Amino acid sequence: MDKRNIDVVVISDVHLGTYGCHAKELLKYLKSIKPKTLILNGDIIDIWQFSKSYWPESHMKVIRKLMKFVSEGVQVHYLTGNHDEMLRKFDGMEMGTFHLQNKLILELDGKKAWFFHGDVFDVTMQHSKWLAKLGAVGYDTLILINSFVNWVLTAFRREKMSFSKKIKAKFKDAVKFINSFEQTAAELAIEKGYQYVVCGHIHQAEQREIATEDGKVTYLNSGDWVESLTALEYQDKNWTVFKYEHQHFTKDQLDEGILSDAEDLKSKLDINILLQNIKYEIAQ
């Protein structure tokens, strides 16, 4: 299978360990690319909702693929988000080409890019974390119900629908929050002299130029792998938003995305023990 060479790939909000995560689709995407730098911009593993009773094979294979990137010399930057916030105390940790950070600044063809998850702009996160966690559980439940409804719609050859997108569209406050989030990120980036600001968190893929009285910046958001199934790609001095579509992959590629590499799935036990220990630390 020919892999696409990409200078920088950014993914975020994968939420491994939850029912809404599209790990199989993400794995197919990861197996189709050959990045020089991979930026995991927060909420990759959902430690908030982690349960040792739910860690499917496909989720483990995503972790193994990320580890394989590191072994191949790909620069992998894991930036912490709110759902994996307990990792923030390990900011600055490095293991070979793997870097654990809270934020990242890269120079891309003479322009500075500022990467961070973005939950710092979320008022709910700052003042009512319990409410944010409750909302996360509700969101995951909504996605699970939505998946069943879409399965029924597909069986009847009807168009799929997104409950959360319909809810966001109907509530002006949700639209207002997204606009405020993007504007705040842009203003801070301009103030700091960056040409790109790259976030996640709000599950809304975006690429647009934002101008203020003090200057302009390209705002980018990598979206998520729960609903949008999107990533950001930087190649030939240009950013693009990649949107996963089933027809992008041939049957051989689809099979390889799930079945290749002959992973030793007994190693699943190791990741479960690791995540159990993480969950234990959070409870303390």
Side-chain angles (χ1 to χ4, degrees):
M1 180 180 77
D2 293 331
K3 297 185 178 183
R4 293 186 298 117
N5 291 297
I6 307 173
D7 288 338
V8 182
V9 172
V10 186
I11 62 173
S12 68
D13 300 274
V14 177
H15 295 278
L16 291 168
T18 67
Y19 292 101
C21 171
H22 282 73
K24 290 181 180 179
E25 288 80 359
L26 175 59
L27 185 61
K28 296 166 194 172
Y29 170 66
L30 292 175
K31 286 180 175 288
S32 73
I33 60 174
K34 189 176 182 181
K36 292 180 181 177
T37 299
L38 174 63
I39 299 172
L40 308 172
N41 202 358
D43 290 359
I44 304 303
I45 299 176
D46 198 319
I47 299 173
W48 274 8
Q49 301 181 75
F50 168 70
S51 170
K52 64 180 180 180
S53 63
Y54 186 75
W55 186 262
E57 176 182 319
S58 58
H59 292 216
M60 185 61 210
K61 287 194 173 187
V62 169
I63 296 293
R64 289 181 64 85
K65 181 58 182 174
L66 296 177
M67 292 172 64
K68 188 175 181 182
F69 277 138
V70 174
S71 70
E72 293 171 343
V74 176
Q75 295 294 324
V76 177
H77 297 268
Y78 191 122
L79 309 185
T80 54
N82 49 304
H83 285 250
D84 44 23
E85 63 181 347
M86 68 82 51
L87 298 176
R88 284 179 173 160
K89 61 185 176 182
F90 302 110
D91 179 32
M93 185 188 79
E94 295 186 0
M95 296 175 59
T97 60
F98 176 82
H99 314 270
L100 180 62
Q101 301 152 286
N102 294 334
K103 57 186 176 181
L104 173 67
I105 298 169
L106 288 181
E107 186 166 316
L108 303 173
D109 297 304
K111 295 183 178 181
K112 289 185 177 180
W114 184 27
F115 302 82
F116 62 100
H117 185 62
D119 56 294
V120 66
F121 300 144
D122 194 330
V123 176
T124 305
M125 273 298 306
Q126 299 302 316
H127 302 288
S128 302
K129 192 171 291 186
W130 67 270
L131 186 60
K133 289 184 177 181
L134 182 63
V137 174
Y139 177 72
D140 199 38
T141 303
L142 182 66
I143 294 299
L144 188 60
I145 296 171
N146 201 166
S147 297
F148 173 74
V149 171
N150 281 337
W151 179 81
V152 174
L153 290 173
T154 301
F156 284 93
R157 297 184 180 179
R158 301 286 296 277
E159 185 178 350
K160 292 182 179 180
M161 61 186 298
S162 170
F163 289 175
S164 69
K165 287 182 180 179
K166 286 183 177 294
I167 291 172
K168 287 177 184 177
K170 287 187 176 181
F171 286 93
K172 292 182 179 179
D173 285 347
V175 176
K176 184 178 179 182
F177 169 76
I178 291 173
N179 290 337
S180 176
F181 178 97
E182 295 174 347
Q183 189 67 29
T184 301
E187 289 174 357
L188 281 174
I190 291 170
E191 182 181 319
K192 292 176 178 289
Y194 302 130
Q195 286 73 50
Y196 303 118
V197 57
V198 188
C199 302
H201 187 57
I202 58 174
H203 293 211
Q204 185 90 7
E206 185 63 86
Q207 176 186 358
R208 68 186 180 98
E209 189 175 276
I210 298 178
T212 70
E213 294 179 356
D214 300 317
K216 63 181 180 180
V217 68
T218 299
Y219 166 83
L220 298 127
N221 197 297
S222 45
D224 67 279
W225 286 85
V226 177
E227 287 190 280
S228 303
L229 278 58
T230 51
L232 293 171
E233 299 180 349
Y234 182 79
Q235 180 71 10
D236 298 327
K237 300 183 179 181
N238 289 309
W239 284 100
T240 56
V241 176
F242 173 87
K243 168 69 176 173
Y244 177 90
E245 298 289 351
H246 185 78
Q247 58 267 29
H248 286 166
F249 299 85
T250 65
K251 185 180 185 302
D252 290 340
Q253 289 172 324
L254 295 177
D255 290 342
E256 182 177 352
I258 302 174
L259 301 175
S260 67
D261 291 343
E263 293 97 339
D264 176 9
L265 294 179
K266 290 183 180 179
S267 63
K268 185 190 305 184
L269 177 62
D270 297 334
I271 194 69
N272 279 336
I273 292 173
L274 172 64
L275 293 176
Q276 264 188 283
N277 290 338
I278 291 174
K279 188 178 180 183
Y280 176 77
E281 286 192 38
I282 295 173
Q284 300 306 303

